[in-house]
Amino acid sequence: MKSIVATAPGKLILFGEHAVVHGQPALAVPLTALTATVTAESTLPSSGLHILLPDSRHHHTLRVYPGSDTENALVYTAQLVLKTLGITTPPDLKLILHSTIPLAAGFGSGAAVSAALAQALSQALGHPLDHETLNGLVYEVEKIHHGTPSGIDNTVIVYQKPVYFVRGKPLETFTIPRPFLLVVGNLGHATPTHITVGAVRELAEREPERIQPILGRIGEIANQARTLIETGQPDLLGPLMDENHALLHELTVSDDELDQFCAMAKQAGAMGAKLSGGGRGGNMIALVNEKTAPAVQEILKQAGAAKVFTTQVG
Ligand code: MEV
């Protein structure tokens, strides 16, 4: 067998995080600057199925046995692929994983690694999974770490297209006729998504009269943003980003650092800024153009962001 390579990108949520868990629409795009890559190679007969992590500190190798091991997301992914394909004896293969997506940083590293691994393994077995099956499989793996995620992260990563996502509804992609630039600031620490999602759920249960309108308005913002993007007016997204951020603050998932980073990005010339993803740490995004990008990047670096980069959306 020739070696087989599968890749999956990271993700950025543009609008609608958290509200999407409660049935509102959200927009997410693949982040192609960061990728997970898995190479499948055949090995000696009877050697079994192994996952190699050459970039990890101890050059980890994981053995995949038949069954269901939810302790390890990678092993579980491989086991789900075998189960889906009705294969009871693991094949003699090694799956070599490399990823440039920082772990637990809000860029969808877990979903990307699972997607690339499942694709490489199923292709090596001669039965590449279709997008829908792959998406369902990656969602199963996501549930281990994220509780009951909306499914937006795995969907944008598996389909590798901008998605307009409504929980439980068929997939809708959207077009970006005029690309735009975002500066991404990563804070270097993050709160597990199931914690922030749980906090919003509790708040929504405790104070439904106050919280439901906030969630509803976030959904409207996502719809308005989609229209602006699809009609080639991304420069007008700034105020919607600011408002979405303020509403996420109301939902308690922003924090002082995210608020400060967004305010500083605006001072440096960004047209709008918001947190992106789970919040309480993690990432923020700022809408810039070629002129303002360097100053916005610089101010975020000076403010202590762990990783800052500019990415083109579309
Ligand atoms: C996390 O990337 C996005 C959240 O909306 C959680 C989810 O949708 O499952 C915070």
Side-chain angles (χ1 to χ4, degrees), residues 68-81 84 109-115 117-118 133-149 154:
S68 185
D69 172 8
T70 51
E71 287 293 299
N72 185 288
L74 295 172
V75 172
Y76 187 45
T77 302
Q79 287 168 330
L80 285 179
V81 172
T84 304
S109 130
V113 161
S114 283
L117 191 90
T133 310
L134 181 64
N135 199 24
L137 189 151
V138 177
Y139 182 72
E140 277 309 303
V141 181
E142 284 279 280
K143 284 202 286 193
I144 308 177
H145 295 298
H146 299 310
T148 49
N154 45 284

Side-chain angles (χ1 to χ4, degrees), residues 17 50 65 96 101 165 167 200 213 251 262 276 287:
E17 51 275 274
H50 291 88
Y65 291 99
I96 308 154
I101 312 174
F165 185 87
R167 200 170 185 168
V200 175
L251 295 178
C262 289
S276 170
L287 182 66

